[in-house]
Amino acid sequence: MTRFTAVDIIHQKRAGQPLSAAQIDWIVHAFTTGEVADEQMAALAMAIYFQGMEIAEIAQWTSAMIASGDTMDFSTLENPTVDKHSTGGVGDNITLMLAPLVAVFDVAVPQLSGRGLGHTGGTLDKLEAIPGWRATLTTAEMLTQLGQIGAVICAAGAGLAPADKKLYALRDITGTVDAVALIASSIMSKKIAEGTGALVLDVKVGAGAFMKTPERARELAETMCELGRQANLPTTALLTDMSQPLGSAAGNALEVATAVEILAGGGPADTRQLTIELAQEMLRLAGKTDVDVAAALDDGRAMDKWRAMIAAQGGDADAPLPKARHRHTITAPTSGYISQLDALAVGEAAWRLGAGRAKPGDAIQAEAGVQIHAKVGDYLRAGSALFTLHTQTPERFESAIARLHEAVNITDTAPPPAVLIHERIRR
Ligand code: URA
């Protein structure tokens, strides 16, 4: 591999010039091995944040991160594989229902997931609220479960795109997370290395998302779809709303409870609709267009898959979920329509109650979180319940309540109807 100098590469990008393939391969490799120091990579990430990268550079960066570690192979499975990735939001528990639902139709879903950081929850943290459930599987266990049940949600092994793991940790503490080039290459390197046969992206847009505007979300989605196309990974994206939280809860055990409601054919209307839309999109990519997805939620087939998936990883789907010792209800101060319900504020309130962590490795409370009793467009009478707060540590109530008071706007007139799916991107 040709050697370069990190400082020259930083200067070049800082001046807005594209990097060559050889430069990108070298710096990603040298950063992974420790030859390039964290502060140099942080400076380069900041230069990329301000100057961006061309699509050829992003594709090369993605390949270099894939090459830093292992790749997986699902080609021995009988059924096609399709995965979904969400860019993260408040109350977004869709993966829990989606994996078993899609598996009902003989499509395997290898869902390598992560833990939450900051105001967005992590799928593994949610599932760990189920007594006995185990996040870590060997590759052999994962393949067996995919073959037998068709759905796996587990921790991504440390060997997959280690360059991304190291870079993500650095971006997190240097204000360089929300750069399109870096997010797109981070997500797609892991998905391509994982070896899924097709991919559906749920790109969140709004106050509770990385991407606050539809324009930025579209740019991210189109970049990721193009990276997928160049890597022969059929990829499509939905731009979905994260101005208000999804569903009726933010918090680990609370979101598992909502997932079980959806799998039983009920649950919040927006969560059910998005689950069905994403499942249809995944099945379409797997060549299955003539299927009734909603029926599998209503007739118990998705629930049966869920129970099998949880049991295969040591979980007891019948065990009661942990419940918080302390609760507090916030009521509407006046009568009117909810015209705004800020997803970021609800996510941060759940975090303040103990549902999330401030840094990797912090302990979390499975029981903590916020139940949401009304959504944008609902009419409420003064005194009716808006939120119920759950925690094991009541001294946390005060700051969570303060954050939730900033979350809601109540008006005399009805707001325009809330939009759940803003756009579909299929290349
Ligand atoms: N999720 C990722 O995996 N990477 C990012 O950069 C942002 C969200």
Side-chain angles (χ1 to χ4, degrees):
M1 191 180 282
T2 320
R3 285 183 59 88
F4 294 91
T5 307
V7 180
D8 291 344
I9 292 179
I10 296 165
H11 280 153
Q12 192 173 322
K13 183 45 72 184
R14 200 184 66 181
Q17 290 159 7
L19 304 179
S20 70
Q23 284 176 315
I24 291 171
D25 286 349
W26 177 79
I27 197 140
V28 171
H29 175 77
F31 170 63
T32 312
T33 59
E35 188 184 339
V36 163
D38 280 3
E39 46 272 41
Q40 293 179 304
M41 195 51 141
L44 180 59
M46 191 58 86
I48 292 170
Y49 180 91
F50 282 113
Q51 297 291 359
M53 288 205 280
E54 293 173 359
I55 190 72
E57 292 176 277
I58 307 174
Q60 193 66 39
W61 192 277
T62 306
S63 303
M65 292 212 292
I66 296 168
S68 74
D70 308 331
T71 51
M72 294 180 74
D73 180 8
F74 299 125
S75 60
T76 52
L77 293 175
E78 212 171 293
N79 290 330
T81 49
V82 185
D83 197 359
K84 183 246 7 174
H85 181 86
S86 160
T87 56
V90 178
D92 182 1
N93 62 349
I94 298 277
T95 297
L96 307 191
M97 301 77 83
L98 197 61
L101 175 59
V102 170
V104 166
F105 299 97
D106 297 328
V107 171
V109 185
Q111 192 77 60
L112 299 182
S113 298
R115 297 187 184 281
L117 196 58
H119 74 278
T120 60
T123 299
L124 302 181
D125 297 326
K126 294 173 200 189
L127 284 167
E128 279 176 348
I130 300 173
W133 187 83
R134 168 168 74 93
T136 307
L137 297 183
T138 63
T139 304
E141 284 172 330
M142 187 181 176
L143 279 169
T144 304
Q145 189 172 326
L146 273 177
Q148 289 176 353
I149 298 166
V152 170
I153 304 174
C154 65
L160 221 57
D164 174 63
K165 254 182 211 91
K166 201 171 171 203
L167 180 56
Y168 191 85
L170 193 59
R171 288 164 57 209
D172 201 36
I173 55 168
T174 56
T176 50
V177 167
D178 51 342
V180 165
L182 296 176
I183 299 177
S185 52
S186 165
I187 291 173
M188 293 306 287
S189 62
K190 286 173 287 201
K191 292 295 161 183
I192 297 167
E194 170 199 285
T196 180
L199 176 65
V200 175
L201 298 162
D202 180 4
V203 178
K204 301 290 186 193
V205 53
F210 281 128
M211 298 293 140
K212 308 289 182 206
T213 65
E215 293 71 30
R216 291 268 293 154
R218 188 177 310 118
E219 187 191 346
L220 176 62
E222 286 179 344
T223 305
M224 290 194 286
C225 289
E226 179 57 22
L227 293 176
R229 197 188 62 74
Q230 292 193 18
N232 288 323
L233 171 59
T235 305
T236 62
L238 302 189
L239 300 195
T240 73
D241 191 64
M242 192 37 68
S243 57
Q244 65 171 334
L246 188 67
S248 59
N252 298 304
L254 294 172
E255 289 183 51
V256 174
T258 309
V260 173
E261 285 171 25
I262 297 280
L263 289 160
D270 57 350
T271 308
R272 177 177 160 101
Q273 186 193 340
L274 188 53
T275 305
I276 291 171
E277 295 268 2
L278 287 166
Q280 280 166 341
E281 190 64 19
M282 289 168 77
L283 291 165
R284 195 183 67 79
L285 287 182
K288 310 221 171 193
T289 47
D290 194 17
V291 287
D292 185 351
V293 172
L297 289 175
D298 296 334
D299 64 16
R301 280 176 294 158
M303 180 70 96
D304 289 344
K305 280 281 177 203
W306 158 263
R307 295 172 67 81
M309 178 181 86
I310 297 300
Q313 289 172 244
D316 181 354
D318 295 320
L321 289 164
K323 285 203 166 57
R325 277 193 297 275
H326 304 277
R327 295 180 186 200
H328 175 89
T329 299
I330 298 180
T331 56
T334 54
S335 298
Y337 294 93
I338 309 251
S339 59
Q340 193 194 333
L341 179 59
D342 187 287
L344 182 60
V346 174
E348 285 180 358
W351 179 79
R352 289 179 187 191
L353 290 165
R357 46 177 78 79
K359 57 179 190 321
D362 281 358
I364 54 166
Q365 296 180 19
E367 309 82 353
V370 178
Q371 254 176 304
I372 304 155
H373 299 296
K375 302 285 291 269
V376 169
D378 289 348
Y379 183 83
L380 281 186
R381 297 215 168 275
S384 46
L386 267 176
F387 302 110
T388 304
L389 287 64
H390 297 238
T391 188
Q392 298 291 77
T393 37
E395 61 276 15
R396 291 170 179 262
F397 277 138
E398 195 180 331
S399 74
I401 292 168
R403 193 70 182 100
L404 284 172
H405 277 146
E406 299 160 358
V408 184
N409 206 12
I410 297 179
T411 51
D412 291 338
T413 50
V419 176
L420 180 61
I421 297 177
H422 292 281
E423 216 170 300
R424 287 164 206 276
I425 294 174
R426 291 174 179 162
R427 278 179 168 262

